[in-house]
Amino acid sequence: MSETSLKSHQKIKLQVEIGTLALKNPVLLASGTCGYGMELKDLIDLRGLGGIVVKGISLEPRQGNPPPRIHETPCGLLNAIGLENVGIRAFKEQKIKWLKKEKITTIVNILGNTIEEYEKMARELDRVEGIDALEVNISCPNVKEGGVAFGTSPESAACVTKAVKKACTLPIIVKLSPNVTDICEIAIAVERAGADAISLINTLLGMAIDIQKRRPVLGNTFGGLSGPAIKPIALRMVWQVARATSIPVIGIGGITTWQDAIEFFMAGAKAIQVGTATLVDPGAGEKILHGIVDFMERNNYQSIDELKIGE
Ligand SMILES: Cc1cc2nc3c(=O)[nH]c(=O)nc-3n(C[C@H](O)[C@H](O)[C@H](O)COP(=O)(O)O)c2cc1C
């Protein structure tokens, strides 16, 4: 949606505040589904969206997992990309410069295998021009704790949050893993550790088996499930976390239509991210934004906050 077409909706306040990060509207593209932005430049006007979350960056470049890395399921997508990325140096030297020049609100998703790696990433990205916030992916394995993901225990989730927060002045959004028993206990732990906002959910662990070859379909055996199949779970978790914490919540998981987005705002999300839907239709985010505005106009809502269902 172009900025000029949004100006006609002056009664509606589309801007949202995620801690100190001000977004012009609440529609973001999710990490891993919009590359580093420039991959979509000929397909959509990224500046019209609230912003983008770039593919997760690590200290060193990563090759990712062996193929096959993607498998479609009914209503969903299994991916085992394995966090392939260009690494922090190439990101700083090439990718962020284009995003800054284009004035695209940019949230950088970071990942690490130790607390020290997260801390180093945060320190190196602090004050890099063009970065508006960090999103901390805590679904990664903690190599010092036998490979258990940081996001599955309140203690390690809090440790990562504290380390990142101490190392950097940017707004910190902690992205939760849904592969846990009690999402609220993790959310409360990262809030207490200083997170400015929470985004959820990352993918749900799944697998598929090729019955002719009698072996798992994905090269990595397991992969992350995304897309419409996970929306009811994501919505339930956003509802719970929005009521268990008082920091802003960004809803992610299977959002494909504007109606999905409205459900997430009613559950308590202040902003949303569109992931797998962008892979199917690069214009999904723009269409969702249009639909949100129309719905708010038709129903006399003046701000995103008004959509939340009360206690
Ligand atoms: C191909 C692919 C790559 C992804 N890469 C990342 C990543 O690097 N970091 C991250 O935090 N999430 C990553 N995700 C998860 C998405 O950002 C999102 O949380 C998840 O897909 C659920 O949203 P959706 O159902 O709208 O896709 C990836 C998802 C997909 C499908």
Side-chain angles (χ1 to χ4, degrees):
M1 181 182 274
S2 73
E3 293 194 46
T4 37
S5 64
L6 278 176
K7 285 199 181 112
S8 59
H9 307 283
Q10 275 165 355
K11 270 200 343 232
I12 298 177
K13 180 181 175 275
L14 279 179
Q15 295 91 325
V16 289
E17 277 84 46
I18 306 294
T20 54
L21 169 69
L23 299 177
K24 72 177 108 163
N25 67 62
V27 178
L28 302 161
L29 299 187
S31 178
T33 60
C34 56
Y36 302 102
M38 65 182 76
E39 295 84 346
L40 294 176
K41 75 176 171 20
D42 298 327
L43 299 167
I44 50 167
D45 173 18
L46 287 172
R47 238 175 314 183
L49 297 175
I52 68 165
V53 188
V54 297
K55 175 72 189 159
I57 307 284
S58 49
L59 275 179
E60 298 301 329
R62 291 197 190 192
Q63 299 282 310
N65 286 326
R69 310 204 291 186
I70 293 275
H71 177 70
E72 277 189 50
T73 65
C75 297
L77 179 73
L78 274 171
N79 94 81
I81 305 294
L83 301 171
E84 175 184 351
N85 76 93
V86 297
I88 194 167
R89 181 177 301 170
F91 179 76
K92 278 167 57 179
E93 285 170 7
Q94 302 154 22
K95 311 292 182 188
I96 192 62
K97 295 199 169 133
W98 182 82
L99 289 157
K100 179 176 172 276
K101 180 169 76 63
E102 295 295 315
K103 297 193 174 64
I104 294 163
T105 301
T106 303
I107 300 173
V108 178
N109 184 283
I110 60 168
L111 59 106
N113 289 125
T114 61
I115 304 274
E116 294 73 30
E117 278 182 23
Y118 279 103
E119 193 178 337
K120 206 161 172 221
M121 298 280 304
R123 194 168 314 113
E124 283 203 30
L125 292 170
D126 196 25
R127 296 177 219 277
V128 170
E129 281 189 64
I131 302 181
D132 296 287
L134 296 187
E135 181 179 69
V136 186
N137 176 1
I138 57 170
S139 299
C140 313
N142 178 350
V143 293
K144 292 197 179 155
E145 300 283 341
V148 177
F150 288 97
T152 58
S153 101
E155 292 77 25
S156 56
C159 266
V160 176
T161 309
K162 256 189 217 146
V164 169
K165 192 68 196 160
K166 223 174 97 190
C168 134
T169 55
L170 289 163
I172 301 299
I173 305 162
V174 179
K175 180 168 180 180
L176 303 189
S177 163
N179 302 308
V180 296
T181 311
D182 181 357
I183 195 80
C184 291
E185 108 181 312
I186 313 283
I188 292 166
V190 305
E191 178 182 35
R192 288 200 183 130
D196 297 294
I198 289 171
S199 59
L200 76 160
I201 59 173
N202 211 317
T203 53
L204 281 145
L205 207 54
M207 73 178 290
I209 292 180
D210 183 326
I211 58 169
Q212 301 304 335
K213 295 185 184 145
R214 210 164 173 273
R215 63 169 192 237
V217 170
L218 294 170
N220 186 53
T221 307
F222 303 141
L225 183 65
S226 63
I230 71 168
K231 198 198 86 182
I233 300 166
L235 192 63
R236 183 264 294 176
M237 289 186 167
V238 165
W239 175 284
Q240 288 179 307
V241 168
R243 281 154 186 77
T245 61
S246 46
I247 49 178
V249 171
I250 302 175
I252 323 168
I255 299 173
T256 309
T257 64
W258 62 264
Q259 290 93 332
D260 296 335
I262 299 289
E263 279 192 77
F264 275 83
F265 296 135
M266 290 192 172
K270 261 187 177 280
I272 53 114
Q273 294 181 15
V274 182
T276 302
T278 304
L279 302 178
V280 179
D281 170 12
E286 287 175 335
K287 288 177 191 155
I288 289 169
L289 180 54
H290 270 292
I292 294 167
V293 172
D294 285 347
F295 177 82
M296 290 175 72
E297 273 194 336
R298 272 187 279 119
N299 294 281
N300 289 321
Y301 287 106
Q302 278 162 22
S303 70
I304 298 294
D305 286 341
E306 282 177 20
L307 290 160
K308 183 179 176 188
I309 297 172
E311 305 310 311

